[in-house]
Amino acid sequence: MSYRDVVSRRVLAWALVAVGARMPVAMAPLALVFLVRERPGGYSLGAALAAAYVIGEILGAPVLGMRLNPQKARPHLAAGLVVGAAGFAGLGAFPGAPAAILAGFAFLAGAGPAAAPGGLRALLTSLVPGHAAAQALSVESMLTFGVWAVSPAAVTGLALGVGPRFPLLLEAALMAASAGGLWALPAGWAADEQGEQGERGGRDGKGASRLRVLARAWPVYVTGAAGLSLLALAELVLPALLEQRGIAVGWAGPLLTVMSVSSAVGAFLYGLRSWPGRLRTRSVVLMAGMSAAVAALALTPGAPGIAAALALAGLLQSGAMLTRNLSLREVLPPGALAAGYSVMYAAVGAGYAATGSLAGALLPLAAPSTAILAGVALTLLLTWVGWWGEIRAGRSAQGADTAVPLGAAAGGAEGAPVGGGGDAERRL
């Protein structure tokens, strides 16, 4: 296995569009804090605006993702990106507006493009041969982690060096450019007849309704939420943990950059070869290892040990994310994949918010290390629930001619879809 099949002009064009769509998402929370931090109660208002933005993402992703037409996705995705650009432009143009108006702009900025990550992922996998899906997803992960590594520095430099509104204006420009860039890509991706019937089932009685088709993958969503809950622990509790250990809080940024770089390396390594075992087994192993690394983070006294734990957690996190995306490709028909990715996007956002809320509630009552360990316990519980659901779904599917065992390794260890669909129509 190699990345040779992923290298093409169309994939390069996709990468430019994806950067334009995802850089604003990575920049948004910190940019919102900088936008209002000099107002009375600025930090609290910034947190509230970030919460409105995340709520928009969580609500918009499944609602808009379920309405994507695979063959004609471009207008839908472009409209969402334009709405998001308008939301960011409103925030940058009117930084002194009342809090309610700013919250409305933030909600639009989060909700409008919420279906874009799933749609773009589906489009990417349609641009490469079927056997190169794992490599395509690895490339996507490397690009995503690279964007998240660069974004904090970009926001801080613009906000402090030029002005607090300029990060938001840059986000608006990037997202608008991404919407225009969609016309350099195919209008959509193929969906097999079975998948289309499943989507129409609520109206013509053939197959399951789209909601039932998406619900089939609930264990994958649960495990995906578990994976990002560990990221919430690392990001949100790390400054408090450093203070507990007597380490300068300024090290939080470089340490999180170490984690992001390690995640990009992990995504690259995952795509270099095929891996043994079922996808659900790989996922559990990776999640267990990641949980152990984050637990070690909570118990390690010095900065070098914390850096090593974060690097290991990042290395395993990217593999865990990729196994979840590949599992969705197995259990959902091609026509429902974009919606499935959007539901996953909402699920991982909810997992991030839930674990962050748990850690925030525990910090006034317990040491940061204790809050991290409690979050690890919650993550392990969610991982077990997801694994149990995949085992149960796989057993119930046995014997059905058209059933796809949830989490079964298709095509051996490479994660290709099981049954019908073929190589040409897949989209993560």
Side-chain angles (χ1 to χ4, degrees), residues 3-353:
Y3 287 95
R4 197 169 303 152
D5 290 326
V6 180
V7 179
S8 70
R9 290 183 179 178
R10 293 200 302 174
V11 171
L12 176 59
W14 176 92
L16 294 175
V17 171
V19 168
R22 295 181 184 184
M23 181 75 83
V25 175
M27 294 173 64
L30 185 58
L32 289 169
V33 172
F34 273 109
L35 182 70
V36 297
R37 72 188 182 97
E38 295 182 359
R39 292 172 57 162
Y43 284 109
S44 297
L45 176 57
L49 294 179
Y53 176 82
V54 173
I55 290 171
E57 287 187 304
I58 293 173
L59 295 180
V63 172
L64 299 178
M66 289 179 65
R67 286 163 172 75
L68 271 177
N69 182 335
Q71 288 87 1
K72 301 177 182 179
R74 181 193 290 155
H76 187 139
L77 295 176
L81 290 169
V82 168
V83 170
F88 284 122
L91 288 163
F94 307 104
I101 294 178
L102 292 179
F105 282 135
F107 182 88
L108 280 180
L120 286 173
R121 182 176 296 138
L123 187 57
L124 171 62
T125 53
S126 74
L127 298 178
V128 301
H131 64 268
Q135 286 70 40
L137 295 178
S138 294
V139 168
E140 183 206 27
S141 293
M142 287 186 280
L143 183 145
T144 298
F145 287 121
V147 164
W148 280 89
V150 170
S151 295
V155 171
T156 304
L158 277 175
L160 299 181
V162 184
R165 69 171 62 191
F166 283 92
L168 281 305
L169 295 176
L170 174 61
E171 292 168 53
L174 286 171
M175 196 159 275
S178 177
L182 287 171
W183 270 261
L185 300 173
W189 53 91
D192 63 3
E193 182 179 353
Q194 180 183 358
E196 288 300 292
Q197 287 180 352
E199 293 167 26
R200 295 193 304 263
R203 292 187 293 272
D204 61 17
K206 297 178 181 178
S209 67
R210 171 173 282 203
L211 187 59
R212 287 184 58 194
V213 169
L214 294 175
R216 189 186 305 165
W218 72 264
V220 183
Y221 307 141
V222 171
T223 313
L228 206 67
S229 67
L230 286 176
L231 178 62
L233 288 174
E235 287 187 342
L236 302 178
V237 187
L238 181 60
L241 179 68
L242 293 178
E243 285 190 347
Q244 180 189 1
R245 297 288 186 254
I247 302 170
V249 177
W251 280 102
L255 288 171
L256 290 175
T257 299
V258 167
M259 185 177 182
S260 295
V261 172
S262 180
S263 296
V265 172
F268 174 77
L269 295 175
Y270 191 94
L272 280 179
R273 52 159 292 175
S274 59
W275 298 91
R278 292 173 177 265
L279 285 171
R280 64 172 176 246
T281 304
R282 290 184 232 164
S283 178
V284 169
V285 170
L286 290 166
M287 287 297 301
M290 189 178 170
S291 298
V294 175
L297 163 72
L299 301 174
T300 300
I306 291 175
L310 285 171
L312 178 58
L315 192 72
L316 299 175
Q317 179 201 20
S318 54
M321 290 173 56
L322 286 165
T323 58
R324 297 298 78 200
N325 289 330
L326 289 168
S327 292
L328 272 183
R329 297 179 69 246
E330 291 187 349
V331 71
L332 296 179
L337 276 173
Y341 291 137
S342 295
V343 173
M344 172 74 89
Y345 188 75
V348 298
Y352 187 101

